[in-house]
Amino acid sequence: MIGAVRGWLTGVVAVSLLVFLVRMLLPESAVRRVAEFTGGLLLLSALLYPLKGLAPKLLETDLSHWQQEIGQRQEELEETQADALSAVIAEKTASYISDKAEALGLSLRVTVETEPTAEGLSVPVAAEVEGPYSQAIASLMETELGIPRERQVWHEREN
């Protein structure tokens, strides 16, 4: 046991000295940076050498539980990302409609609903508008944004 520790320490010291000598002998250049990186990897390898016997034992363990856990987390992250993207699209679409209404001299409060497509993209499918009805805005939502008139709800109020 002590012989193994002594051999390991000797290897670590030898690699450390080799890395030090190479570093001192090479001028500052790309070659030196590559040599330092390679030396660092060699030193790391020498330090971790005693753990080589653990690798087969780790590979024998059942990783299916962790793979399932990773799959669940990945699905949750994808769902969270899709929800966030959908919210941004709804917000930007509502802002676009409000800006077009302001250009016409109208003040509207718009809420947009989105749904994912088969490709996973979120598209606006419905709008709820609070303010005076505008044929121009209703047409804009239908032609430019693809929100059909039957999915446009107008709550009329004074401007």
Side-chain angles (χ1 to χ4, degrees), residues 94-127:
S95 176
Y96 175 76
I97 295 168
S98 295
D99 290 347
K100 291 293 184 178
E102 281 184 26
L104 296 173
L106 300 171
S107 176
L108 302 178
R109 187 178 321 172
V110 183
T111 305
V112 175
E113 180 184 329
T114 62
E115 287 182 1
T117 62
E119 295 83 27
L121 302 172
S122 290
V123 294
V125 293

Side-chain angles (χ1 to χ4, degrees), residues 90-159:
E91 180 183 329
K92 295 290 185 184
T93 305
S95 176
Y96 175 76
I97 295 168
S98 295
D99 290 347
K100 291 293 184 178
E102 281 184 26
L104 296 173
L106 300 171
S107 176
L108 302 178
R109 187 178 321 172
V110 183
T111 305
V112 175
E113 180 184 329
T114 62
E115 287 182 1
T117 62
E119 295 83 27
L121 302 172
S122 290
V123 294
V125 293
E128 190 169 342
V129 183
E130 188 176 319
Y133 178 79
S134 168
Q135 178 67 32
I137 298 299
S139 289
L140 173 126
M141 286 193 287
E142 186 172 27
T143 58
E144 289 188 29
L145 302 174
I147 301 172
R149 301 242 179 178
E150 58 271 5
R151 302 282 318 256
Q152 298 176 18
V153 178
W154 289 80
H155 302 286
E156 294 192 52
R157 63 167 170 76
E158 290 298 316
N159 197 17

Side-chain angles (χ1 to χ4, degrees), residues 42-90:
L42 287 172
L43 184 58
L44 181 64
S45 174
L47 286 169
L48 298 177
Y49 183 77
L51 301 178
K52 73 176 172 132
L54 294 178
K57 292 177 187 171
L58 289 175
L59 293 175
E60 292 172 5
T61 60
D62 184 23
L63 300 178
S64 62
H65 169 72
W66 295 109
Q67 290 172 335
Q68 184 180 14
E69 188 75 25
I70 289 170
Q72 289 174 346
R73 295 292 178 250
Q74 190 171 10
E75 287 176 14
E76 289 173 8
L77 289 173
E78 288 171 358
E79 188 176 309
T80 301
Q81 182 181 14
D83 290 346
L85 181 60
S86 180
V88 168
I89 290 171

